[in-house]
Amino acid sequence: MDADLPVSPPRAWADIDLATLRSNLNVAREAGGADVMVVVKAGAYGHGLEPVAKVLAAERVAFVGVANVGEARRIRDAGVDTRIYLLGATWAEERAEVVARDWTPCLSSLEEAAHFDRLATAAGRRLRVHLAVDTGMGRGGFPEDGLDGLMEALESFRHLEIEGIGSHLPSADEDEEFTHAQIDRYHRILERLGGASNFRWRHLLNSAGLLGYDRRLCNLTRPGLMLYGVSPLPRHQTGLRPVMTLNSRVTLVRLLPAGHGVSYGRQFVTTRPTRVATIGIGYGDGYPRHLSGNGARVHIGGHDCPVIGRVTMDQIMVDVTDAGRVVEGDKVELFGANIPVHEVAQKAGTIAWEIFTGITPRVARCYSGG
Ligand SMILES: *Cc1c(COP(=O)(O)O)cnc(C)c1O
């Protein structure tokens, strides 16, 4: 490489404001009124696993919640010593490491419990575990009709400490009635299993749960999305600010005559002489192709500009005819303070969670406020 040739900046990058992350955590703390397990699965919802876990751990949260042992390993290796909770099931061959590194699994069956107990016995230590109970999600945990005699059966596992009990809400942002009934069911289960005081940690509420519902006997919340600045319940957006701004730059500006097609399939055809800016981002960066033709907009120099034609892999086109002076190199916001990510999600027919986690590795993450 020629050292004297300039290095190109990335075409697309995500600014990640860690001070805003901290401030959103405080909103979650106050709204939930309980200790917090910060959910950082899937690379902290695309915000970068290690940097986000480090910042949140420094705020003395009770647990860091991850999807699997691969993520747990990365966080430990980054030097975070906050307790790690595994939100998903473990495979048998992963469990020795869970025991050795004292990660906290959630259990869905007695077979899993027995295996962890054998491994903990062999390692000469006691492992703290949580019970997962299925109160309606249908994804993991002990089914409700499998709870009879459970505590008695678990007592024989001398090297397990049943430290907590968790469940998960499938529709806290969609179905209030079901969610209230589910929260009642969770409390009845606590009673059946010997009472809330039997469990050091009781947790049920994700972002929508802690924002929209009473925490009652729960003493640990599990916020994910809201930490990154988006409330699943629009009426509770107050106080939350986006941590990530997705940016790109104008690569070209051209004047096209009326009647000129734009992008694959020529589904957009200009109806007037149109100034078209080409932007260096596409679905290869995680800017969804499903936005094509659905009225998406980007923000350039204080103006909203409509995306025209299909989103391509590396480039999109926007109409800048009415956007004042726009030139090559101008910064473009795809979402952030001016374009809410939930608007992008809605226009793409998906949810903010998927937009965040879909931002690909090609997009450089640039951190500030750390
Ligand atoms: C992902 C996840 C959460 C966080 O959910 P948000 O809706 O992002 O707040 C909480 N609990 C469990 C079990 C999860 O899988």
Side-chain angles (χ1 to χ4, degrees):
M1 282 257 284
D2 278 320
D4 51 354
L5 291 177
V7 177
S8 293
R11 289 285 190 275
W13 73 101
D15 284 319
I16 314 271
D17 182 352
L18 298 170
T20 300
L21 178 70
R22 271 189 228 102
S23 139
N24 293 337
L25 171 63
N26 285 333
V27 175
R29 270 209 169 112
E30 276 168 31
D35 277 306
V36 179
M37 173 190 301
V38 291
V39 177
V40 298
K41 62 194 183 196
Y45 292 41
H47 291 61
L49 184 58
E50 289 90 347
V52 166
K54 279 186 188 172
V55 162
L56 294 173
E59 300 298 302
R60 292 199 306 268
V61 295
F63 289 89
V64 174
V66 298
N68 54 50
V69 298
E71 293 178 344
R73 220 176 272 145
R74 282 175 54 190
I75 288 177
R76 269 295 178 273
D77 293 350
V80 171
D81 57 12
T82 303
R83 290 188 61 190
I84 294 180
Y85 183 86
L86 300 164
L87 294 157
T90 54
W91 281 317
E93 54 274 25
E94 296 170 332
R95 291 179 191 148
E97 183 177 4
V98 173
V99 171
R101 304 184 82 170
D102 199 22
W103 296 332
T104 306
C106 62
L107 305 181
S108 292
S109 72
L110 281 173
E111 292 71 40
E112 260 182 291
H115 190 205
F116 272 118
D117 185 59
R118 282 199 306 280
L119 291 166
T121 306
R125 47 163 73 214
R126 260 186 122 210
L127 182 70
R128 293 168 292 188
V129 300
H130 291 208
L131 300 180
V133 292
D134 191 344
T135 54
M137 177 70 183
R139 187 173 70 174
F142 288 88
E144 239 187 302
D145 61 9
L147 298 176
D148 285 335
L150 176 63
M151 296 312 279
E152 294 71 17
L154 290 168
E155 261 166 34
S156 64
F157 302 132
R158 290 296 162 74
H159 288 80
L160 296 188
E161 178 186 338
I162 313 297
E163 186 203 29
I165 180 161
S167 192
H168 193 38
L169 303 172
S171 339
D173 53 350
E174 291 174 37
D175 188 341
E176 241 179 80
E177 195 182 321
F178 177 84
T179 303
H180 280 300
Q182 196 189 359
I183 294 172
D184 288 342
R185 205 172 311 130
Y186 178 72
H187 287 98
R188 281 200 304 277
I189 289 173
L190 285 181
E191 286 313 310
R192 257 177 88 184
L193 298 182
S197 61
N198 236 2
F199 301 95
R200 166 72 183 87
W201 296 111
R202 305 174 294 273
H203 49 100
L204 174 64
L205 307 175
N206 53 7
S207 298
L210 81 89
L211 286 167
Y213 301 80
D214 208 8
R215 92 180 152 83
R216 292 168 59 189
L217 295 173
C218 294
N219 63 356
L220 182 68
T221 59
R222 299 191 313 257
L225 190 70
M226 69 179 295
L227 298 175
Y228 309 103
V230 181
S231 170
L233 302 171
R235 68 181 185 279
H236 289 286
Q237 183 60 39
T238 321
L240 297 173
R241 282 177 296 123
V243 172
M244 181 191 291
T245 307
L246 182 63
N247 300 297
S248 183
R249 287 190 195 282
V250 174
T251 53
L252 270 178
V253 182
R254 297 176 317 135
L255 186 64
L256 294 184
H260 202 295
V262 175
S263 196
Y264 292 118
R266 300 183 64 258
Q267 293 203 323
F268 181 91
V269 178
T270 55
T271 54
R272 57 173 182 174
T274 304
R275 270 204 311 145
V276 176
T278 304
I279 317 292
I281 194 167
Y283 62 79
D285 303 284
Y287 190 71
R289 185 174 176 278
H290 278 89
L291 286 171
S292 309
N294 285 333
R297 60 191 173 115
V298 303
H299 202 74
I300 309 178
H303 295 271
D304 282 347
C305 308
V307 175
I308 55 176
R310 287 186 190 155
V311 172
T312 76
M313 190 183 291
D314 313 306
Q315 307 179 66
I316 59 172
M317 278 64 81
V318 305
D319 182 343
V320 295
T321 312
D322 303 319
R325 192 179 131 82
V326 174
V327 298
E328 265 171 46
D330 279 358
K331 188 167 147 178
V332 180
E333 176 190 312
L334 289 306
F335 61 74
N338 298 294
I339 314 266
V341 69
H342 63 75
E343 175 188 305
V344 173
Q346 195 204 342
K347 290 189 163 150
T350 184
I351 53 176
W353 292 261
E354 193 184 33
I355 300 293
F356 281 143
T357 56
I359 304 299
T360 66
R362 182 163 74 178
V363 177
R365 271 68 167 175
C366 305
Y367 296 91
S368 64

